[in-house]
Protein backbone atom coordinates (compact mmCIF):
# COMPACT_ATOMS: atom_id res chain seq x y z
CA UNK A 1 0.00 0.00 0.00
CA UNK A 2 1.37 3.44 -0.87
CA UNK A 3 1.63 6.16 1.76
CA UNK A 4 -0.60 9.23 1.60
CA UNK A 5 1.41 12.00 -0.07
CA UNK A 6 1.37 15.09 2.16
CA UNK A 7 1.15 18.33 0.17
CA UNK A 8 3.70 20.66 1.77
CA UNK A 9 1.95 23.86 0.74
CA UNK A 10 3.84 26.28 3.00
CA UNK A 11 5.35 29.68 2.24
CA UNK A 12 8.81 28.88 3.67
CA UNK A 13 11.10 26.03 4.56
CA UNK A 14 11.13 27.05 8.21
CA UNK A 15 7.34 26.58 8.37
CA UNK A 16 7.68 23.29 6.52
CA UNK A 17 10.26 22.07 9.01
CA UNK A 18 8.10 23.12 11.95
CA UNK A 19 5.21 21.18 10.44
CA UNK A 20 7.28 18.05 9.74
CA UNK A 21 8.53 18.06 13.33
CA UNK A 22 4.95 17.43 14.44
CA UNK A 23 4.87 14.16 12.50
CA UNK A 24 6.94 11.57 14.30
CA UNK A 25 7.56 9.41 11.20
CA UNK A 26 10.54 8.79 8.95
CA UNK A 27 10.28 8.12 5.24
CA UNK A 28 7.07 10.00 4.57
CA UNK A 29 5.75 10.67 1.08
CA UNK A 30 5.66 14.44 0.51
CA UNK A 31 4.70 16.76 -2.31
CA UNK A 32 6.53 19.98 -3.00
CA UNK A 33 4.54 22.34 -5.15
CA UNK A 34 5.08 25.71 -6.76
CA UNK A 35 4.59 27.74 -3.60
CA UNK A 36 7.49 26.17 -1.75
CA UNK A 37 9.76 25.29 -4.67
CA UNK A 38 9.75 28.76 -6.21
CA UNK A 39 10.82 30.24 -2.89
CA UNK A 40 13.21 27.65 -1.56
CA UNK A 41 14.43 25.80 -4.66
CA UNK A 42 16.70 22.77 -5.04
CA UNK A 43 18.35 22.98 -1.60
CA UNK A 44 15.01 22.18 -0.01
CA UNK A 45 14.68 19.07 -2.18
CA UNK A 46 18.19 18.03 -1.18
CA UNK A 47 17.31 18.37 2.53
CA UNK A 48 14.03 16.46 2.20
CA UNK A 49 15.85 13.70 0.33
CA UNK A 50 18.43 13.42 3.07
CA UNK A 51 15.60 12.89 5.52
CA UNK A 52 14.57 9.87 3.48
CA UNK A 53 11.21 11.12 2.20
CA UNK A 54 9.65 10.07 -1.11
CA UNK A 55 9.35 13.35 -3.06
CA UNK A 56 6.71 14.25 -5.60
CA UNK A 57 7.78 17.55 -7.20
CA UNK A 58 4.49 18.99 -8.42
CA UNK A 59 5.40 21.76 -10.86
CA UNK A 60 2.88 20.82 -13.60
CA UNK A 61 5.06 21.75 -16.56
CA UNK A 62 3.26 22.99 -19.69
CA UNK A 63 5.37 24.57 -22.45
CA UNK A 64 6.78 23.70 -25.87
CA UNK A 65 8.32 20.20 -26.06
CA UNK A 66 11.95 21.34 -26.21
CA UNK A 67 11.64 23.58 -23.15
CA UNK A 68 9.89 20.89 -21.13
CA UNK A 69 12.49 18.32 -22.13
CA UNK A 70 15.36 20.59 -20.99
CA UNK A 71 13.60 21.42 -17.73
CA UNK A 72 13.05 17.72 -17.03
CA UNK A 73 16.75 16.97 -17.49
CA UNK A 74 17.43 19.34 -14.61
CA UNK A 75 14.58 18.11 -12.41
CA UNK A 76 15.59 14.47 -12.70
CA UNK A 77 19.14 15.34 -11.59
CA UNK A 78 17.68 16.56 -8.30
CA UNK A 79 16.82 12.97 -7.46
CA UNK A 80 13.08 13.45 -6.94
CA UNK A 81 10.80 10.41 -7.20
CA UNK A 82 7.84 11.78 -9.13
CA UNK A 83 7.22 14.82 -11.38
CA UNK A 84 4.38 15.97 -13.59
CA UNK A 85 3.21 17.90 -16.64
CA UNK A 86 -0.19 19.01 -17.92
CA UNK A 87 -1.65 16.52 -20.40
CA UNK A 88 -3.11 19.56 -22.21
CA UNK A 89 0.45 20.27 -23.41
CA UNK A 90 -0.02 17.38 -25.85
CA UNK A 91 1.40 13.95 -26.58
CA UNK A 92 4.58 15.29 -28.12
CA UNK A 93 5.29 17.48 -25.11
CA UNK A 94 4.68 14.55 -22.77
CA UNK A 95 7.01 12.28 -24.77
CA UNK A 96 9.68 15.00 -24.70
CA UNK A 97 9.28 15.33 -20.93
CA UNK A 98 9.90 11.60 -20.59
CA UNK A 99 12.95 11.82 -22.84
CA UNK A 100 14.34 14.63 -20.68
CA UNK A 101 13.89 12.56 -17.53
CA UNK A 102 15.62 9.57 -19.12
CA UNK A 103 18.57 11.71 -20.19
CA UNK A 104 18.81 13.44 -16.80
CA UNK A 105 18.60 10.33 -14.67
CA UNK A 106 21.05 8.31 -16.78
CA UNK A 107 21.60 4.99 -15.12
CA UNK A 108 19.97 6.17 -11.86
CA UNK A 109 16.28 5.51 -11.26
CA UNK A 110 14.04 7.65 -13.44
CA UNK A 111 11.40 9.67 -11.57
CA UNK A 112 7.82 8.59 -12.28
CA UNK A 113 6.18 10.93 -14.75
CA UNK A 114 2.46 11.63 -14.54
CA UNK A 115 0.18 14.11 -16.29
CA UNK A 116 -2.59 16.30 -14.89
CA UNK A 117 -5.85 15.55 -16.69
CA UNK A 118 -8.38 18.06 -15.30
CA UNK A 119 -7.53 19.81 -12.04
CA UNK A 120 -9.64 18.64 -9.11
CA UNK A 121 -10.64 22.29 -8.58
CA UNK A 122 -12.28 22.34 -12.04
CA UNK A 123 -15.98 21.60 -12.39
CA UNK A 124 -17.58 20.42 -15.63
CA UNK A 125 -19.17 23.83 -16.15
CA UNK A 126 -15.83 25.61 -15.68
CA UNK A 127 -14.15 23.21 -18.11
CA UNK A 128 -16.75 24.08 -20.74
CA UNK A 129 -16.53 27.81 -20.16
CA UNK A 130 -12.80 28.19 -19.61
CA UNK A 131 -11.38 25.56 -21.92
CA UNK A 132 -14.10 25.34 -24.55
CA UNK A 133 -14.22 21.55 -24.17
CA UNK A 134 -17.86 20.63 -24.75
CA UNK A 135 -17.78 16.98 -23.67
CA UNK A 136 -18.55 15.59 -20.22
CA UNK A 137 -15.68 16.09 -17.76
CA UNK A 138 -15.13 12.33 -17.45
CA UNK A 139 -14.71 12.08 -21.25
CA UNK A 140 -12.08 14.78 -21.20
CA UNK A 141 -10.27 13.03 -18.33
CA UNK A 142 -10.37 9.69 -20.18
CA UNK A 143 -9.18 11.30 -23.40
CA UNK A 144 -6.20 12.89 -21.65
CA UNK A 145 -5.47 9.62 -19.81
CA UNK A 146 -5.30 7.67 -23.08
CA UNK A 147 -3.02 10.28 -24.68
CA UNK A 148 -0.82 10.15 -21.57
CA UNK A 149 -0.57 6.37 -21.83
CA UNK A 150 0.25 6.57 -25.55
CA UNK A 151 3.05 9.04 -24.77
CA UNK A 152 4.58 6.38 -22.49
CA UNK A 153 4.03 8.10 -19.13
CA UNK A 154 3.44 6.22 -15.87
CA UNK A 155 0.03 7.63 -15.04
CA UNK A 156 -2.13 10.65 -14.40
CA UNK A 157 -3.25 13.10 -11.73
CA UNK A 158 -7.03 12.91 -11.49
CA UNK A 159 -9.88 12.86 -8.99
CA UNK A 160 -10.39 9.50 -7.29
CA UNK A 161 -13.92 9.70 -8.72
CA UNK A 162 -12.37 8.95 -12.12
CA UNK A 163 -9.73 6.37 -11.13
CA UNK A 164 -11.62 3.18 -11.87
CA UNK A 165 -12.78 4.38 -15.31
CA UNK A 166 -9.20 5.44 -16.12
CA UNK A 167 -7.81 2.03 -15.15
CA UNK A 168 -10.40 0.36 -17.34
CA UNK A 169 -9.49 2.60 -20.27
CA UNK A 170 -5.73 2.05 -19.80
CA UNK A 171 -4.60 -0.76 -17.52
CA UNK A 172 -4.39 -1.68 -13.84
CA UNK A 173 -0.78 -0.62 -13.44
CA UNK A 174 -1.39 2.87 -14.87
CA UNK A 175 -0.98 5.20 -11.87
CA UNK A 176 -3.90 7.33 -10.69
CA UNK A 177 -2.55 9.94 -8.27
CA UNK A 178 -5.50 11.63 -6.63
CA UNK A 179 -5.66 14.98 -4.83
CA UNK A 180 -8.98 16.44 -3.64
CA UNK A 181 -9.02 14.11 -0.63
CA UNK A 182 -11.09 15.11 2.40
CA UNK A 183 -12.34 13.40 5.54
CA UNK A 184 -16.14 13.56 5.90
CA UNK A 185 -15.87 16.29 8.54
CA UNK A 186 -13.42 18.52 6.59
CA UNK A 187 -14.10 21.68 4.64
CA UNK A 188 -13.99 21.26 0.85
CA UNK A 189 -12.10 24.59 0.38
CA UNK A 190 -11.56 25.36 -3.32
CA UNK A 191 -11.71 21.69 -4.37
CA UNK A 192 -14.77 20.55 -6.38
CA UNK A 193 -14.26 16.83 -6.99
CA UNK A 194 -13.53 15.59 -3.47
CA UNK A 195 -13.38 12.02 -2.17
CA UNK A 196 -12.65 10.44 1.24
CA UNK A 197 -9.51 8.27 1.62
CA UNK A 198 -11.67 5.13 1.94
CA UNK A 199 -13.62 5.88 -1.25
CA UNK A 200 -10.38 6.70 -3.05
CA UNK A 201 -9.09 3.22 -2.21
CA UNK A 202 -12.37 1.58 -3.24
CA UNK A 203 -12.28 3.49 -6.54
CA UNK A 204 -8.77 2.25 -7.33
CA UNK A 205 -6.58 5.30 -6.63
CA UNK A 206 -2.88 4.36 -6.61
CA UNK A 207 -1.76 7.27 -4.41
CA UNK A 208 -3.72 9.91 -2.50
CA UNK A 209 -2.45 13.47 -2.09
CA UNK A 210 -3.60 15.25 1.06
CA UNK A 211 -2.86 18.85 1.95
CA UNK A 212 -5.04 20.99 4.17
CA UNK A 213 -6.79 18.06 5.90
CA UNK A 214 -3.41 17.40 7.52
CA UNK A 215 -1.50 20.68 7.35
CA UNK A 216 -4.34 22.80 8.74
CA UNK A 217 -5.49 20.24 11.33
CA UNK A 218 -5.23 21.14 15.01
CA UNK A 219 -3.31 17.92 15.51
CA UNK A 220 -1.57 17.05 12.20
CA UNK A 221 -0.16 13.74 13.49
CA UNK A 222 -3.63 12.57 14.50
CA UNK A 223 -5.13 13.70 11.18
CA UNK A 224 -2.35 11.87 9.31
CA UNK A 225 -2.98 8.68 11.29
CA UNK A 226 -6.74 8.87 10.66
CA UNK A 227 -6.12 9.26 6.95
CA UNK A 228 -3.62 6.38 6.86
CA UNK A 229 -6.11 4.14 8.67
CA UNK A 230 -8.94 5.00 6.28
CA UNK A 231 -6.70 4.63 3.25
CA UNK A 232 -5.19 1.32 4.34
CA UNK A 233 -8.34 0.08 6.03
O1 LIG B 1 -5.07 21.12 0.50
P1 LIG B 1 -5.47 20.13 -0.56
O2 LIG B 1 -5.60 18.72 -0.02
O3 LIG B 1 -6.65 20.58 -1.37
O4 LIG B 1 -4.20 20.11 -1.54
C1 LIG B 1 -4.18 19.42 -2.75
C2 LIG B 1 -2.82 19.56 -3.37
O5 LIG B 1 -2.82 18.84 -4.60
C3 LIG B 1 -2.42 20.99 -3.69
O6 LIG B 1 -1.02 21.08 -3.46
C4 LIG B 1 -2.71 21.13 -5.17
O7 LIG B 1 -1.80 22.00 -5.81
C5 LIG B 1 -2.50 19.71 -5.67
N1 LIG B 1 -3.26 19.33 -6.87
C6 LIG B 1 -4.64 19.39 -6.93
N2 LIG B 1 -5.30 19.02 -8.08
C7 LIG B 1 -4.61 18.57 -9.14
C8 LIG B 1 -3.22 18.51 -9.08
C9 LIG B 1 -2.58 18.89 -7.91
O8 LIG B 1 -5.28 19.76 -5.95
N3 LIG B 1 -5.24 18.15 -10.20
Amino acid sequence: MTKPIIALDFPSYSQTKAFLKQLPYKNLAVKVGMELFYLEGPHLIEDLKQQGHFIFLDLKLHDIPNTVKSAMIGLSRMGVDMVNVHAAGGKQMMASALEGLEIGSGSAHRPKLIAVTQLTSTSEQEMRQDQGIQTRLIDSVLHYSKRTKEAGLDGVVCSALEASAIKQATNESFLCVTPGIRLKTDSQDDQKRVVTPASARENGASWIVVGRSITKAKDPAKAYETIVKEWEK
Side-chain angles (χ1 to χ4, degrees), residues 183-210:
L183 292 167
K184 276 210 179 90
T185 47
D186 288 339
S187 148
Q188 200 168 314
D189 304 306
D190 55 347
Q191 297 283 18
K192 306 272 165 55
R193 303 185 341 262
V194 301
V195 178
T196 63
S199 306
R201 172 178 34 76
E202 283 155 18
N203 291 351
S206 322
W207 294 83
I208 52 171
V209 176
V210 192

Side-chain angles (χ1 to χ4, degrees), residues 7 9 31 58 60 116 119-120 157 179 182 191 209-212:
D9 293 326
K31 180 173 89 64
D58 175 23
K60 302 186 180 71
V116 177
L119 294 168
T120 43
V157 186
R182 292 289 183 277
Q191 297 283 18
V209 176
V210 192
R212 285 162 287 187

Side-chain angles (χ1 to χ4, degrees), residues 27-42:
N27 309 321
L28 293 165
V30 297
K31 180 173 89 64
V32 175
M34 300 177 196
E35 181 180 3
L36 195 53
F37 189 76
Y38 289 161
L39 285 168
E40 302 286 359

Side-chain angles (χ1 to χ4, degrees), residues 82 112-114 154-158 166-167 170-177 206-207:
M82 189 184 277
K112 297 265 181 243
L113 177 60
I114 55 180
D154 302 294
V156 287
V157 186
C158 59
I166 291 172
K167 296 221 167 184
T170 55
N171 62 44
E172 265 308 304
S173 59
F174 195 63
L175 299 177
C176 291
V177 179
S206 322
W207 294 83

Side-chain angles (χ1 to χ4, degrees), residues 21-214:
K21 257 197 191 153
Q22 298 176 70
L23 297 182
Y25 310 104
K26 285 193 162 72
N27 309 321
L28 293 165
V30 297
K31 180 173 89 64
V32 175
M34 300 177 196
E35 181 180 3
L36 195 53
F37 189 76
Y38 289 161
L39 285 168
E40 302 286 359
H43 81 269
L44 158 95
I45 300 294
E46 185 59 45
D47 277 12
L48 290 172
K49 268 213 82 64
Q50 276 178 12
Q51 291 160 36
H53 303 314
F54 173 98
I55 303 173
F56 170 19
L57 184 55
D58 175 23
L59 298 180
K60 302 186 180 71
L61 274 62
H62 187 171
D63 207 321
I64 60 170
N66 186 55
T67 301
V68 170
K69 176 177 162 185
S70 309
M72 285 296 183
I73 294 175
L75 294 187
S76 63
R77 288 189 180 142
M78 271 183 231
V80 293
D81 300 287
M82 189 184 277
V83 292
N84 60 357
V85 293
H86 270 286
K91 187 173 156 188
Q92 201 194 332
M93 185 205 77
M94 291 193 272
S96 297
L98 189 59
E99 216 184 306
L101 287 180
E102 276 161 0
I103 295 170
S105 47
S107 54
H109 101 127
R110 167 179 74 71
K112 297 265 181 243
L113 177 60
I114 55 180
V116 177
T117 52
Q118 289 288 348
L119 294 168
T120 43
S121 57
T122 302
S123 66
E124 185 163 285
Q125 194 192 7
E126 284 170 330
M127 180 192 79
R128 289 178 180 207
Q129 284 174 345
D130 294 332
Q131 302 171 38
I133 296 176
Q134 300 305 330
T135 61
R136 293 181 308 158
L137 189 134
I138 182 68
D139 295 328
S140 168
V141 168
L142 290 177
H143 171 74
Y144 279 140
S145 300
K146 285 184 214 152
R147 296 297 285 169
T148 303
K149 173 104 187 25
E150 284 163 22
L153 274 61
D154 302 294
V156 287
V157 186
C158 59
S159 162
L161 295 169
E162 296 128 19
S164 86
I166 291 172
K167 296 221 167 184
Q168 267 177 32
T170 55
N171 62 44
E172 265 308 304
S173 59
F174 195 63
L175 299 177
C176 291
V177 179
T178 66
I181 299 295
R182 292 289 183 277
L183 292 167
K184 276 210 179 90
T185 47
D186 288 339
S187 148
Q188 200 168 314
D189 304 306
D190 55 347
Q191 297 283 18
K192 306 272 165 55
R193 303 185 341 262
V194 301
V195 178
T196 63
S199 306
R201 172 178 34 76
E202 283 155 18
N203 291 351
S206 322
W207 294 83
I208 52 171
V209 176
V210 192
R212 285 162 287 187
S213 290
I214 299 173

